[in-house]
Amino acid sequence: MSAKLAINKEVFTPHDEKMLAAVQVRRRTKKKIPFLATGGQGDYMTFICLSVTNKKPTHVSITKVKQFQGSSAFVKRSQWTIDQLQQINGIDPNKDCPEFDLMFDNAFDQWVAGSAGEKCTFVQVLHHTCQRYSSQRKPEFVNCQSKLLGAEEQPSNSVIFRCKVFLNRMRKEMVTSQAHLLRRGNSILHTAAGSVTSAVQKASQALNERGERLGRAEETTGEMKNSAEQFSVTAHKLAMKHKC
């Protein structure tokens, strides 16, 4: 199960909510920590999630969700209503980029998404949701590409961006899987080659030892033959001498 599906299942479904979009992010600038702050909880992943209630009246929320290292659980950290959102800054209106800022009534965060495609999808869905559900003032979208703000005129754009994100994720997973299979295949080949080499070396050593034993046997046989011939000659001489 992917992280986003798990977040929807663990964080929003139990509260009768549906997650519309989520983007994994990291801070563009380090957050200032109070002087008296104690130790943190270690490394973690952060997701900015957009959700809507299933029951009417409809409430839309933007939630910061974290997953800490060594834990499979997702934890809700901060949450704002869509009416508390003041501004979304896309940073560069001329090209796809992963950076964006979110300004709320009581908070301001600068983020970098995992990819430009993920950020574009999130901003587009967020814009469409704001146009549909904002009951008071609508947030300001600045430095955002025009294609991201035309969701109502071109509803297929969201699908296109989602497909791009999905294809990029699948491409990364395929590359990782192929690299793993290649490393595993090389390991098997090295192991097999080592086994064959070891077997050949053992067979060669056995042949060498057998050859040495045969050589020593031939030498012993030759020496015994020479001794027998000499004994025969000596015995013949003794026999002739006593005969005379």
Side-chain angles (χ1 to χ4, degrees):
M1 182 182 297
S2 69
K4 293 177 183 178
L5 290 176
I7 291 173
N8 185 47
K9 182 179 179 180
E10 296 179 20
V11 178
F12 297 106
T13 300
H15 298 281
D16 200 20
E17 293 180 83
K18 178 175 65 176
M19 191 175 73
L20 302 177
V23 56
Q24 184 176 347
V25 296
R26 59 178 174 82
R27 291 189 181 278
R28 202 160 69 247
T29 56
K30 291 184 178 180
K31 188 175 181 179
K32 293 182 179 180
I33 302 176
F35 177 75
L36 297 177
T38 57
Q41 293 178 272
D43 293 335
Y44 55 83
M45 292 191 297
T46 303
F47 297 84
I48 303 298
C49 306
L50 179 66
S51 64
V52 61
T53 56
N54 292 319
K55 294 182 179 179
K56 296 185 182 300
T58 302
H59 296 285
V60 181
S61 301
I62 298 174
T63 308
K64 186 188 301 180
V65 176
K66 293 186 177 183
Q67 182 184 39
F68 291 92
Q69 187 178 31
S71 173
S72 59
F74 294 92
V75 183
K76 183 188 297 185
R77 305 302 283 183
S78 303
Q79 189 173 61
W80 301 268
T81 66
I82 198 170
D83 291 326
Q84 291 178 298
L85 180 61
Q86 294 183 2
Q87 186 185 87
I88 300 92
N89 189 337
I91 307 301
D92 194 332
N94 299 315
K95 66 178 183 180
D96 293 341
C97 67
E99 295 86 1
F100 67 100
D101 298 341
L102 295 178
M103 180 184 295
F104 299 94
D105 292 341
N106 59 350
F108 174 72
D109 287 314
Q110 296 177 307
W111 300 111
V112 179
S115 68
E118 286 188 78
K119 169 241 179 157
C120 289
T121 299
F122 180 78
V123 171
Q124 188 178 43
V125 176
L126 179 59
H127 178 266
H128 175 74
T129 304
C130 289
Q131 300 305 309
R132 182 177 179 182
Y133 292 108
S134 292
S135 58
Q136 302 176 9
R137 54 175 173 77
K138 298 186 185 301
E140 182 183 16
F141 285 76
V142 299
N143 296 323
C144 294
Q145 294 171 283
S146 58
K147 66 180 181 180
L148 304 181
L149 308 183
E152 294 182 340
E153 291 76 16
Q154 297 179 352
S156 63
N157 283 349
S158 178
V159 177
I160 293 174
F161 277 115
R162 289 176 183 271
C163 289
K164 287 182 177 179
V165 172
F166 175 75
L167 291 174
N168 286 335
R169 185 170 67 249
M170 291 298 296
R171 187 180 296 111
K172 291 179 181 179
E173 291 178 356
M174 288 179 64
V175 170
T176 302
S177 177
Q178 289 174 353
H180 173 71
L181 290 175
L182 181 60
R183 289 193 298 270
R184 185 176 180 183
N186 288 337
S187 176
I188 292 173
L189 287 175
H190 286 314
T191 301
S195 299
V196 171
T197 302
S198 177
V200 170
Q201 289 176 346
K202 289 181 179 179
S204 177
Q205 182 178 356
L207 289 173
N208 290 335
E209 292 176 353
R210 183 179 180 184
E212 291 177 358
R213 288 195 297 269
L214 289 174
R216 289 195 297 269
E218 288 178 357
E219 292 178 358
T220 302
T221 302
E223 292 175 355
M224 292 175 67
K225 182 180 178 181
N226 292 334
S227 298
E229 290 177 351
Q230 291 178 0
F231 179 78
S232 176
V233 172
T234 302
H236 180 72
K237 289 180 178 179
L238 290 172
M240 291 300 297
K241 180 179 180 181
H242 288 294
K243 185 177 181 181
C244 297

